[in-house]
């Protein structure tokens, strides 16, 4: 099954990790990428610029009801949740989820519900446990999950929480993540055989 | 769904039948409309679905259909759901750069009118309305302004009318006010006592708060400015188009439409009726 949407979640230390990931993607990468990065409201545009510097794929902050187009990188705006709906992205200013807005779980869970086995979830560095429930949801719907190897993460907590919960299909060093991701997207193959559970 | 650490993980790990769920949601919203006249049928599904599932969980139920059964037979369950579905998150001087632009680009235009009508649609508990009132006051215009703040939710309209702010948020509000270019102190505009602080009468005097539903109510005046921020993100495309018609109808020629930071007039049916006043801050001028 091909992957049409890659969802990426990052918190503390995420700018470096997300940039590294994007830098490694091929220029003809043809899935859409949506990123939820925890961040402050200050200087909301800086992040787009920094990420754009890392990749040839166009990077933009998602606006309400933007269509989800292949080969583009969409960033959850500061202070909004980014959700995936059948018709495109939706934004909300709903309460914070586990202290976060944007929430990684909100992005991942909504992506799983719409894209099901065509979604790949990638969880990066962070000092909380956002994203674990989202990855669980992605797996439950038949999608694939990658988690940054904690030893290569600026903050190990977020990846470790996901690994402890058993929701990582593969645990990959930061420098190898882009390759692993592109491989899953290209071949549509899961990384490891999975038990019935 | 992901709000609690344990039960939520178990729930998350359970696969769902998306088609069946969509049907259940549709039936529930139809039932709510027919029984209670609250119309969520054309709201955006993403946030709505999260909220419905949370209510399912909190009621100790398993499915959206079960929630339908409960709210139809138990009006107090409908009350609880209604509270869940009402997202009233707001703050004073949210997006400080917006208020800067409002002062620089909208206020000079307003000066040309002897009497100014402004509609703040979806004003929630009033913080946004108070913020505009302060900007207009500092520009020396408030005397000439009638500011209408409306919301569908009667509870928040009542709070807006009371004009009180929770004390614990004052510090961050004051910070935002300064970033927005405020030169006094925010507290100069509020009377403080033990319970919090209340908007001073000279600012409150020209504000009218009322209940108004953008989905079903008509336009009620012609305005020089219509602000509707972070309200239509909760609406689906079709409903957005309808509400845009209502707002457009309510605007005088060359009137100003203000949307939220991540909303856009682009790709709506009314795109061609507006030109950018400040595209970044989502300020548009009606030109036809
Ligand atoms: C997230 S708040 C935004 C408040 C404020 N405009 C801001 O940006 O800070 C959305 C508000 O829209 C109101 N709302 C939702 N549906 C509405 C409708 N059909 N008509 C009028 N207001 C509505 C809600 O009650 C809520 O207070």
């Amino acid at each position: 099954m091909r992957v049409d949407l890659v969802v990426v979640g990052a918190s503390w230390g995420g700018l470096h990790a997300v940039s590294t990931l994007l830098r490694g993607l091929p220029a003809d990468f043809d899935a859409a990428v949506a990123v939820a990065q925890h961040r402050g409201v200050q200087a909301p545009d800086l992040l787009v610029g920094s990420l754009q510097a890392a990749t040839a794929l166009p990077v933009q902050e998602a606006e309400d009801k933007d269509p989800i187009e292949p080969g583009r990188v969409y960033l959850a705006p500061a202070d909004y949740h980014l959700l995936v709906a059948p018709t495109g992205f939706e934004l909300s200013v709903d309460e914070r989820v586990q202290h976060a807005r944007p929430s990684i779980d909100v992005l991942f869970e909504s992506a799983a519900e719409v894209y099901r086995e065509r979604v790949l979830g990638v969880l990066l560095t962070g000092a909380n446990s956002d994203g674990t429930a989202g990855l669980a949801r992605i797996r439950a719907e038949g999608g694939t999950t990658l988690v940054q190897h904690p030893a290569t993460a600026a903050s190990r907590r977020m990846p470790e929480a996901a690994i402890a919960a058993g929701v990582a299909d593969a645990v990959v060093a930061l420098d190898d993540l882009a390759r692993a991701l592109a491989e899953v997207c290209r071949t549509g193959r899961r990384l490891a055989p999975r038990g019935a559970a | 769904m992901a709000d609690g650490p344990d039960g939520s993980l178990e729930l998350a790990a359970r696969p769902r039948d998306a088609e069946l769920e969509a049907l259940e949601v549709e039936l529930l919203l139809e039932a709510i409309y027919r029984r209670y006249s609250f119309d969520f049928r054309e709201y955006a599904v993403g946030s709505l679905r999260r909220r419905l599932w949370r209510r399912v969980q909190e009621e100790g139920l398993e499915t959206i259909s079960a929630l339908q059964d409960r709210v139809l037979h138990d009006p107090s369950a409908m009350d609880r759901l209604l509270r869940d579905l009402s997202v009233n998150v707001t703050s004073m001087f949210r997006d400080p750069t917006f208020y800067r632009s409002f002062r620089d680009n909208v206020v000079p235009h307003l000066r040309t009118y002897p009497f100014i009508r402004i509609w703040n649609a979806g004003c929630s508990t009033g913080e946004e309305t108070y913020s505009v009132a302060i900007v207009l006051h500092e520009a020396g215009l408030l005397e000439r302004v009638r500011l209408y703040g409306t919301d569908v939710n009667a509870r928040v309209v009542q709070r807006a009318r009371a004009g009180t702010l929770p004390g614990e948020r004052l510090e961050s509000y004051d910070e935002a006010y300064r970033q927005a270019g405020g030169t006094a102190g925010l507290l100069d505009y509020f009377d403080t006592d033990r319970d919090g602080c209340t908007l001073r009468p000279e600012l409150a005097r020209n504000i009218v708060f009322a209940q108004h539903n953008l989905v079903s109510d008509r336009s009620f005046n012609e305005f020089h400015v219509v602000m509707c921020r972070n309200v239509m993100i909760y609406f689906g495309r079709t409903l957005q188009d309808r509400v845009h018609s209502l707002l457009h109808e309510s605007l005088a020629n060359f009137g100003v439409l203000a949307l939220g930071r991540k909303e856009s007039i682009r790709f709506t049916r009314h795109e061609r009726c507006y030109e950018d006043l400040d595209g970044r801050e989502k300020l548009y001028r009606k030109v036809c």
Side-chain angles (χ1 to χ4, degrees):
Chain A
M1 187 58 81
R2 60 173 279 133
V3 169
D4 288 320
L5 178 64
V6 177
V7 285
V8 180
S11 185
W12 180 255
L15 176 56
H16 170 68
V18 178
S19 302
T20 307
L21 180 68
L22 293 181
R23 190 170 297 117
L25 294 181
D28 63 351
F29 188 71
D30 66 352
V33 181
V35 181
Q37 157 80 56
H38 295 166
R39 55 176 166 149
V41 208
Q42 283 80 23
D45 298 326
L46 286 181
L47 192 54
V48 173
S50 312
L51 296 182
Q52 186 65 81
T55 174
L57 304 172
V59 181
Q60 66 195 87
E61 275 200 357
E63 290 207 337
D64 184 49
K65 309 295 186 293
D66 268 349
I68 301 171
E69 289 173 357
R72 286 180 171 274
V73 180
Y74 300 89
L75 189 61
D79 219 22
Y80 286 86
H81 293 299
L82 178 64
L83 296 97
V84 172
T87 47
F89 288 114
E90 290 176 4
L91 296 177
S92 94
V93 290
D94 291 9
E95 300 78 4
R96 292 161 185 275
V97 178
Q98 298 194 63
H99 310 291
R101 189 173 57 217
S103 148
I104 299 168
D105 282 336
V106 168
L107 172 64
F108 283 12
E109 291 174 11
S110 61
E113 277 151 32
V114 175
Y115 280 77
R116 308 181 58 112
E117 63 282 350
R118 294 178 295 122
V119 68
L120 168 60
V122 183
L123 193 65
L124 303 174
T125 169
N128 53 70
S129 58
D130 194 5
T132 293
L135 289 184
R137 191 90 201 89
I138 289 175
R139 292 185 99 225
E141 295 298 342
T144 309
T145 63
L146 288 178
V147 173
Q148 178 178 2
H149 197 294
T152 67
S155 177
R156 321 167 54 104
R157 262 200 61 199
M158 212 160 79
E160 275 177 353
I163 295 163
V167 295
D169 283 327
V171 179
V172 183
L174 179 59
D175 289 334
D176 300 327
L177 259 175
R179 208 166 25 79
L181 186 160
E183 166 102 3
V184 174
C185 292
R186 200 176 53 250
T187 62
R189 261 207 315 274
R190 285 230 173 89
L191 294 146
R194 199 184 282 178
Chain B
M1 288 176 281
D3 299 294
D6 297 324
S8 62
L9 202 62
E10 189 205 315
L11 188 73
R14 212 182 296 159
R16 291 192 211 136
D17 181 335
E19 220 169 279
L20 180 59
E21 188 198 273
L23 174 63
E24 290 178 281
V25 170
E26 195 181 318
L27 292 173
L28 168 64
L29 298 182
E30 184 65 29
I32 291 173
Y33 175 63
R34 303 251 293 258
R35 178 71 186 176
Y36 295 102
S37 307
F38 300 119
D39 193 354
F40 292 102
R41 294 174 299 172
E42 293 180 280
Y43 275 52
V45 291
S47 148
L48 191 73
R49 196 171 44 191
R50 282 189 71 82
R51 283 160 186 282
L52 292 178
W53 275 108
R54 188 161 74 200
R55 184 52 29 216
V56 168
Q57 255 191 309
E58 270 166 29
E59 299 284 327
L61 302 169
E62 291 282 320
T63 63
I64 302 227
S65 306
L67 182 62
Q68 176 179 329
D69 180 69
R70 168 112 7 130
V71 300
L72 282 179
H73 293 280
D74 176 1
S76 72
M78 183 64 227
D79 270 353
R80 294 191 290 273
L81 176 59
L82 202 57
R83 274 169 196 263
D84 289 348
L85 293 183
S86 193
V87 184
N88 303 115
V89 176
T90 188
S91 58
M92 287 200 70
F93 294 99
R94 179 188 222 156
D95 311 322
T97 51
F98 168 84
Y99 291 92
R100 276 178 183 271
S101 181
F102 188 93
R103 203 184 43 211
D104 295 345
N105 298 306
V106 181
V107 162
H109 165 73
L110 295 180
R111 285 193 196 287
T112 60
Y113 297 102
F115 189 74
I116 304 155
R117 280 183 305 273
I118 298 179
W119 180 19
N120 185 193
C123 66
S124 189
T125 41
E127 282 84 339
E128 191 173 63
T129 323
Y130 309 154
S131 304
V132 191
I134 289 170
V135 170
L136 293 166
H137 173 76
E138 293 185 348
L141 276 182
L142 191 58
E143 290 298 295
R144 281 194 258 157
V145 176
R146 170 78 25 109
L147 196 48
Y148 297 85
T150 65
D151 201 284
V152 67
N153 181 329
R155 206 165 35 89
V156 296
V157 171
Q158 212 161 26
R159 279 186 44 196
R161 212 174 272 143
T164 52
L165 290 183
E168 71 272 11
R169 297 193 69 180
L170 279 180
E171 208 172 307
S172 68
Y173 285 177
D174 192 54
E175 167 84 25
Y177 163 75
R178 282 168 206 282
Q179 284 172 12
T183 47
L186 192 58
L187 274 180
D188 296 349
Y189 301 117
F190 290 87
D191 291 322
T192 22
D193 63 24
R194 243 180 319 132
D195 308 324
C197 48
T198 310
L199 190 67
R200 295 182 67 106
E202 62 266 34
L203 282 126
R205 202 165 46 209
N206 295 351
I207 307 178
V208 181
F209 286 106
Q211 192 178 11
H212 180 278
N213 187 343
L214 289 164
V215 176
S216 51
D217 291 334
R218 308 285 299 268
S219 170
F220 58 96
N221 214 324
E222 193 181 81
F223 299 93
H224 303 99
V225 179
V226 173
M227 294 177 66
C228 188
R229 311 188 73 221
N230 302 307
V231 178
M232 281 188 276
I233 53 177
Y234 289 99
F235 298 169
R237 264 282 185 215
T238 317
L239 181 55
Q240 280 185 349
D241 269 335
R242 267 212 332 271
V243 173
H244 265 300
S245 294
L246 174 71
L247 302 184
H248 179 261
E249 212 175 280
S250 307
L251 265 177
N253 259 333
F254 304 111
V256 175
L257 175 68
L259 301 177
R261 180 159 56 87
K262 290 291 150 188
E263 299 168 83
S264 173
I265 193 74
R266 277 188 319 145
F267 309 128
T268 69
R269 254 196 345 216
H270 292 80
E271 179 175 6
R272 271 169 303 124
C273 309
Y274 294 94
E275 64 182 27
D276 283 4
L277 197 59
D278 181 345
R280 263 183 71 86
E281 297 299 341
K282 308 299 155 69
L283 284 162
Y284 306 98
R285 191 198 333 254
K286 174 175 170 178
V287 288
C288 64

